[in-house]
Amino acid sequence: MLPQELVFTVDGEQAQSTATTSRILPLAHYCHRSESRLTKPALAYQALSAILTHIDSFTGFGSLPHHLVEPILQQCSAEALERFEENTPALASLTQDCWRNLCERQFTQDVASILAGDRSPPDDWRSYYFTLQARQQQRFEELGSKIRGQRQEAEDRKKERQIVYTDPVIRRGRGGVGRPSTLIEKTRKESMKIQRSVYGSSRSPFLTPAKPARPRPETRPVKPPPIAGMGMMSMPRPAKIARTEPTPPSGSSASPPPPQSSPPPFSPALSLSPTKIKRDPMSSLFMPKHKAHSQRPVPVAVKKS
Amino acid sequence: MANIQDKSESEWVRVLSEDGWTFIVPRKVAVASGTLKNTLSTGFAEAEAATCHVPHRGAIVEKVMEYLSYKTLYESAGPKEDIPEFSERIQPELALELLMAADYLET
């Protein structure tokens, strides 16, 4: 049993408006004004606001009359409208205006020509809305990929301009080697390899205890093996090497010197016979670039008085 | 006639819901609703008994009475008086039926 008239007051005077199913009153008509205060929303307006606030929680309108449902549908989003149509197929007749309003609100440019009268309106505003939505989605994707491509190009250009450090430059100058430790290590490794190849892997004239000197045939040439990875270094070919093994010092316990990373300095325990040693065989194998700055120990010649 | 006048002058009226709830409210609160005002001012039985029937359940009628009391209280409020919002008191689960009741009672 619904009233045929909706009474509300405007500026202290009562005005009557006929509310039928064909005439839908806008939301503002549910407000009423009293003499003392303006715009005191009526209960119906407040209830409508509460419904619209929680519209996502509603799946249908039950037995609500059409003239009360229309203001709600006008304010709905596309998702809510779709949901209500799905649950209440009878609402489809009421929603055409709602879909048209949605198209006008969200796709103003696409609909402008229709509103201006240049084009005829579509038969179904609902399907037209989804068509426009798909077009917009496609446009966004194209724009997104274009922007991504431009950003990638800018990053690539930036990377090309960057200064990239590869290997550090080793300076060879008067002040010394850029990395002395590396050079010393390299030298040590090379000398060890040569020693092993020349004198055997277990024996070294500097690291093993002294044995009686055993002269070797002078005609026997000593060829150092090729050193792997050191193609740049050219080893001088020794002509003749007279090798004598160091004699152990008398009266002193034979204690081998501790292993060292660099060639061991000339120790008094390993005294060589001054008469027999004429030339250090290692000197011919290793030729420093700058003899003046060579780190090799200089053998001290002991003269017999 | 004197009886009707006496009864129309009574300060309180009864509002009955469809599920048997009775709400006794001041007359000036009840007449804030257009439908109830029309019902109580005519010469029908409802007017004589000062009783109105509302075809809604008790929870909805209670909320409507609450609104009518709120409206009556703050209708003559001054411009500087702070008026609370009634929308905060409307539960979403009552909103649809309340809309129907408000439409029926012209509030």
Side-chain angles (χ1 to χ4, degrees):
Chain A
M1 202 168 80
L2 296 168
Q4 292 299 311
E5 290 180 345
L6 188 69
V7 179
F8 57 93
T9 58
V10 177
D11 292 332
E13 293 177 359
Q14 277 195 348
Q16 288 184 348
S17 171
T18 306
T20 61
T21 53
S22 59
R23 183 179 167 185
I24 307 302
L25 292 175
L27 212 60
H29 279 265
Y30 289 99
C31 297
H32 61 81
R33 300 178 182 192
S34 64
E35 284 180 347
S36 55
R37 294 290 292 267
L38 287 172
T39 321
K40 201 80 186 93
L43 184 59
Y45 180 85
Q46 303 230 21
L48 267 169
S49 302
I51 292 167
L52 290 170
T53 306
H54 300 94
I55 194 66
D56 292 332
S57 311
F58 289 92
T59 55
F61 299 110
S63 56
L64 204 64
H66 281 186
H67 73 276
L68 294 176
V69 170
E70 186 77 15
I72 302 171
L73 294 176
Q74 292 284 350
Q75 307 284 330
C76 279
S77 63
E79 290 81 18
L81 215 51
E82 217 180 345
R83 189 172 68 242
F84 292 136
E85 281 181 346
E86 204 177 318
N87 292 325
T88 315
L91 282 176
S93 58
L94 293 176
T95 56
Q96 278 300 306
D97 282 343
C98 303
W99 287 112
R100 186 175 62 97
N101 292 336
L102 278 170
C103 289
E104 284 174 21
R105 261 188 273 150
Q106 293 184 20
F107 310 108
T108 317
Q109 290 180 354
D110 296 313
V111 180
S113 58
I114 297 173
L115 296 175
D118 298 339
R119 285 195 290 149
S120 60
D123 294 331
D124 185 15
W125 281 98
R126 186 178 188 273
S127 55
Y128 189 59
Y129 173 86
F130 289 115
T131 308
L132 292 175
Q133 196 182 48
R135 267 191 230 162
Q136 192 185 56
Q137 199 71 26
Q138 198 180 1
R139 249 182 274 154
F140 283 150
E141 279 174 14
E142 283 170 13
L143 276 170
S145 61
K146 190 179 174 185
I147 289 168
R148 261 181 259 120
Q150 285 176 354
R151 201 183 295 163
Q152 190 64 38
E153 279 175 23
E155 280 179 16
D156 291 340
R157 266 186 259 125
K158 196 178 172 184
K159 274 183 189 172
E160 280 171 17
R161 285 182 208 152
Q162 274 179 354
I163 299 170
V164 179
Y165 293 96
T166 52
D167 294 321
V169 175
I170 299 172
R171 292 183 200 161
R172 298 174 187 274
R174 286 197 65 160
V177 186
R179 288 187 181 179
S181 62
T182 308
L183 189 63
I184 287 172
E185 282 178 8
K186 278 185 188 173
T187 313
R188 186 181 65 81
K189 284 176 189 173
E190 285 167 29
S191 64
M192 294 289 281
K193 282 180 190 173
I194 291 164
Q195 284 169 21
R196 279 192 208 115
S197 63
V198 172
Y199 302 111
S201 60
S202 60
R203 292 164 56 185
S204 166
F206 298 103
L207 299 180
T208 56
K211 289 186 180 176
R214 201 173 52 181
R216 281 196 177 183
E218 291 188 4
T219 56
R220 185 178 169 186
V222 176
K223 288 182 188 177
I227 298 165
M230 296 299 294
M232 287 182 70
M233 282 196 67
S234 58
M235 305 299 295
R237 236 186 176 187
K240 290 178 184 178
I241 297 168
R243 181 180 174 269
T244 54
E245 304 229 353
T247 56
S250 56
S252 63
S253 59
S255 59
Q260 295 172 10
S261 60
S262 59
F266 190 80
S267 67
L270 302 172
S271 58
L272 303 171
S273 170
T275 53
K276 289 187 181 178
I277 293 175
K278 289 181 185 176
R279 189 181 167 193
D280 188 1
M282 292 300 292
S283 62
S284 60
L285 294 174
F286 173 62
M287 297 292 287
K289 204 168 185 180
H290 300 283
K291 218 172 180 180
H293 299 286
S294 170
Q295 294 182 9
R296 279 188 59 248
V298 178
V300 177
V302 177
K303 288 186 183 176
K304 271 191 176 176
S305 57
Chain B
M1 198 69 175
N3 287 339
I4 291 171
Q5 280 179 356
D6 289 341
K7 286 193 178 169
S8 67
E9 285 175 6
S10 64
E11 289 182 17
W12 302 91
V13 295
R14 259 188 278 216
V15 179
L16 302 178
S17 68
E18 65 179 10
D19 52 352
W21 290 94
T22 303
F23 299 89
I24 300 172
V25 296
R27 184 174 282 270
K28 65 173 183 178
V29 168
V31 298
S33 155
T35 305
L36 295 180
K37 184 181 178 184
N38 292 335
T39 307
L40 293 169
S41 61
T42 56
F44 292 115
E46 288 87 359
E48 289 180 14
T51 304
C52 303
H53 292 266
V54 177
H56 288 278
R57 58 190 180 101
I60 305 301
V61 176
E62 181 188 24
K63 193 57 71 177
V64 173
M65 292 301 117
E66 190 181 327
Y67 174 77
L68 294 176
S69 303
Y70 161 88
K71 182 182 167 187
T72 309
L73 182 66
Y74 291 108
E75 209 168 31
S76 54
K80 292 184 182 178
E81 195 169 337
D82 189 25
I83 300 171
E85 289 292 328
F86 191 80
S87 55
E88 296 167 8
R89 298 174 147 201
I90 298 176
Q91 291 94 337
E93 53 268 22
L94 300 180
L96 276 178
E97 289 175 88
L98 196 62
L99 177 61
M100 287 173 65
D103 185 55
Y104 170 74
L105 292 172
E106 298 168 14
T107 56

